[in-house]
Amino acid sequence: MRVAIAGAGLAGLSCAKYLIDAGYTPIVLESRDVLGGLVAAWQDKDGDWYETGLHVFFGAYPNMLKLLKELGIEDRLQWKKHTMIFNQPDNPGTYSRFDFPDLPAPLNGIAAILKNNDMLTWGEKIQLAKGLVPAMLRGQKYVEETDKYTFSEWLKRQGVGEEVQQDIFIAAAKSLNFINPDEISAVVLLTALRAFLQEKDGSKMAFLDGSPTERLCQPLVDYITSGGGTVRLNAPLKEILLDGDGNVKGFLIRGLNGASDEVVTADVYVSAMSVDCIKVMLPKPWQQMEFFQKLDGLEGVPVINLQLWFDRKLTDIDQLLFSRSSLLSVYADMSNTCREYANTEQSMLELVLAPAKDWINSSNEEIVQVTLSELQKLFPAHFGGDNPAKLLKYHVVKTPRSVYKATPGCQQYRPSQVTPIPNFYLAGSYTMQQYLGSMEGAVLSGKLTANEIAQRATPPAANSEAHLVANS
């Protein structure tokens, strides 16, 4: 049985990998000339990589970690010391740390909070405990019910003061969904906090030893092709073709550079595109179905990722940093954190500008200038005086629609992987799974989609082979 998958991001590639394991033959169709979707990366003329986003792996990513192990590439993750580091705006150039000791969860998390006296007073620690402990004890069902509140509203209901929100959760909210606590659904932060506090290494972080395209996506492609599957770049979906019963009869692929369009036919079809893309591609008869109409309640959030190369070392910290600035959410010196990007004399900072809605239409030059202004506050010793740090080059990657914007009430709009169309399925982190809009969510969604196909579709041995049909 052949399965046609539109989209070669983590969801589509993971779906194809698990279909191979189940005995199916996937053909993955990617519109762009690069793998990875929201984890795509490119090389510039100097051979340096620049990425769609700052991609961090957590100990609380079981499906991602299992996938890496199955591919035999788990050693490509560079695990960092179990700590969370925040800039201190009131004391520029200094940091506050939450160091997790070698204790079982949640004792290690409690100890990390209790030992930090830079960001939280004892009164604020008590406030935080009173607010979070019930959410930890009452289970995931309670957490899911908090989707009707923003995280700010939920904190207020728990009696947690504004200072705690400003000190910790603005940075956390922006790192998880690129929006502030007064916009993000409480379910996002509480789901993450439960995972971080209930698993000993849940909040422990790792970076890939190179670009996601080469070090993560290409091994997936190699696995798929070695199992008889196909991955095609530069194959943009133009239309989902239907038969007389409203089921899919083919994916119409747009011909590029003067080539004819072609129809890819298969037994089963999967959209592993973003929610914004699938909404545009929905055939008219499907647009009347309640299942697909609910997708209108979801939309991607804008994200801007920057990579800046400097003529000197700005920091030796080998870890993700939470900036606590009004514009920057998280950043890292990739010359420290990533083996392939290593440089002992110069820094390459990768930064996420969020919220990005007011900047997504600005010029790259304007975005870089406002970022440099923020960096002057974070690294005053390197940007003041007679010999300030010099910016050697930069890349700005704009994603107008990234992961779905997880505002209150969005959970009800997230679809299952199974659709009302018998031979059409969905994959993507926006589909219903517990890890929300994340790399882990994308991998899990692909696995769930493959499992649903294996359970519902005709066994592979009884199926016909898919084929390509030229369409002039």
Side-chain angles (χ1 to χ4, degrees):
M1 174 181 279
R2 293 289 291 259
V3 182
I5 302 170
L10 286 180
L13 293 174
S14 299
C15 180
K17 186 269 182 196
Y18 288 108
L19 285 170
I20 289 285
D21 291 345
Y24 295 82
T25 305
I27 175 170
V28 183
L29 307 164
E30 168 56 44
S31 64
R32 300 192 296 177
D33 61 356
V34 63
L35 299 165
L38 294 180
V39 301
W42 301 264
Q43 276 184 299
D44 63 18
K45 59 182 176 57
D46 302 317
D48 292 320
W49 287 94
Y50 59 101
E51 304 179 11
T52 310
L54 181 52
H55 307 296
V56 181
F57 299 75
F58 289 93
Y61 277 6
N63 295 283
M64 173 67 81
L65 299 182
K66 189 172 188 296
L67 174 65
L68 294 174
K69 186 174 183 179
E70 290 168 350
L71 294 172
I73 59 171
E74 65 267 37
D75 60 343
R76 296 184 181 184
L77 288 184
Q78 297 179 262
W79 290 98
K80 308 305 178 184
K81 185 177 179 181
H82 198 174
T83 186
M84 303 184 80
I85 306 175
F86 292 74
N87 279 96
Q88 296 199 79
D90 296 335
N91 193 3
T94 64
Y95 305 93
S96 181
R97 306 174 67 104
F98 289 85
D99 294 316
F100 290 71
D102 187 19
L103 295 171
L107 295 179
N108 60 346
I110 294 171
I113 293 171
L114 292 178
K115 288 191 299 182
N116 182 291
N117 295 314
D118 301 321
M119 292 174 62
L120 297 173
T121 66
W122 277 101
E124 289 169 342
K125 292 174 185 177
I126 293 171
Q127 280 185 13
L128 187 59
K130 288 171 64 177
L132 293 181
V133 169
M136 301 304 107
L137 295 179
R138 294 173 65 179
Q140 187 62 27
K141 185 175 185 300
Y142 167 80
V143 169
E144 291 169 1
E145 292 171 351
T146 65
D147 186 47
K148 56 190 171 186
Y149 306 115
T150 67
F151 192 65
S152 294
E153 291 169 340
W154 184 86
L155 285 175
K156 186 175 181 180
R157 291 174 64 89
Q158 309 310 308
V160 179
E162 183 72 19
E163 280 75 17
V164 175
Q165 175 177 299
Q166 294 288 337
D167 285 342
I168 297 177
F169 292 117
I170 285 182
K174 291 199 292 185
S175 67
L176 289 169
N177 197 238
F178 314 114
I179 54 179
N180 286 315
D182 60 357
E183 286 187 278
I184 195 169
S185 169
V187 74
V188 178
L189 271 296
L190 293 178
T191 297
L193 287 168
R194 275 178 55 80
F196 290 167
L197 292 175
Q198 290 186 332
E199 300 178 31
K200 180 182 177 182
D201 293 327
S203 58
K204 193 172 183 180
M205 290 177 266
F207 287 73
L208 268 179
D209 61 359
S211 79
T213 299
E214 274 199 335
R215 305 299 285 170
L216 174 57
C217 296
Q218 189 58 49
L220 277 164
V221 172
D222 294 341
Y223 189 99
I224 293 163
T225 55
S226 67
T230 305
V231 179
R232 292 177 52 186
L233 300 178
N234 296 308
L237 180 62
K238 181 178 180 179
E239 185 181 351
I240 299 173
L241 304 176
L242 304 185
D243 62 19
D245 297 322
N247 299 325
V248 184
K249 69 175 182 180
F251 279 168
L252 179 62
I253 305 302
R254 185 187 306 277
L256 302 179
N257 301 318
S260 299
D261 294 349
E262 64 177 297
V263 177
V264 175
T265 62
D267 300 281
V268 177
Y269 301 83
V270 177
S271 167
M273 301 180 290
S274 71
V275 67
D276 298 282
C277 289
I278 186 57
K279 286 192 294 185
V280 173
M281 299 304 303
L282 286 175
K284 283 187 178 180
W286 294 3
Q287 295 173 16
Q288 310 306 315
M289 299 181 181
E290 182 181 2
F291 178 90
F292 292 112
Q293 287 177 342
K294 284 186 176 182
L295 296 180
D296 289 336
L298 301 172
E299 66 175 15
V301 63
V303 176
I304 298 174
N305 195 65
L306 300 98
Q307 289 178 233
L308 310 176
W309 283 258
F310 291 94
D311 65 346
R312 69 195 64 180
K313 271 293 185 189
L314 301 182
T315 177
D316 292 320
I317 296 177
D318 180 12
Q319 181 56 285
L320 182 74
L321 296 162
F322 295 86
S323 74
R324 298 173 71 199
S325 80
S326 59
L327 279 179
L328 305 178
S329 54
V330 290
Y331 67 99
D333 188 333
M334 300 297 283
S335 69
N336 300 329
T337 62
C338 177
R339 187 176 297 121
E340 185 174 346
Y341 305 161
N343 190 318
T344 58
E345 298 180 356
Q346 299 176 346
S347 282
M348 189 273 276
L349 296 186
E350 185 165 354
L351 312 101
V352 179
L353 190 151
K357 62 182 179 180
D358 295 330
W359 292 94
I360 197 71
N361 294 319
S362 299
S363 69
N364 290 349
E365 292 74 20
E366 290 174 313
I367 293 169
V368 169
Q369 284 306 311
V370 74
T371 301
L372 289 175
S373 296
E374 292 295 311
L375 290 179
Q376 290 176 15
K377 303 172 188 175
L378 300 179
F379 300 103
H382 294 283
F383 287 95
D386 299 328
N387 186 30
K390 181 181 179 181
L391 179 65
L392 301 176
K393 69 174 182 178
Y394 65 84
H395 289 288
V396 177
V397 180
K398 298 178 181 178
T399 306
R401 293 288 183 266
S402 181
V403 295
Y404 76 95
K405 188 176 182 180
T407 51
C410 278
Q411 289 289 85
Q412 64 183 309
Y413 302 121
R414 296 177 66 199
S416 64
Q417 289 77 36
V418 178
T419 79
I421 310 303
N423 67 341
F424 183 75
Y425 295 77
L426 298 176
S429 63
Y430 72 93
T431 62
M432 185 56 75
Q433 41 74 32
Q434 69 185 84
Y435 291 96
L436 306 159
S438 65
M439 292 189 294
E440 171 73 0
V443 169
L444 176 56
S445 76
K447 180 187 289 188
L448 291 174
T449 303
N451 289 342
E452 292 290 355
I453 292 172
Q455 291 174 16
R456 294 167 182 268
T458 307
N463 286 286
S464 60
E465 185 175 337
H467 55 282
L468 303 180
V469 181
N471 184 42
S472 57

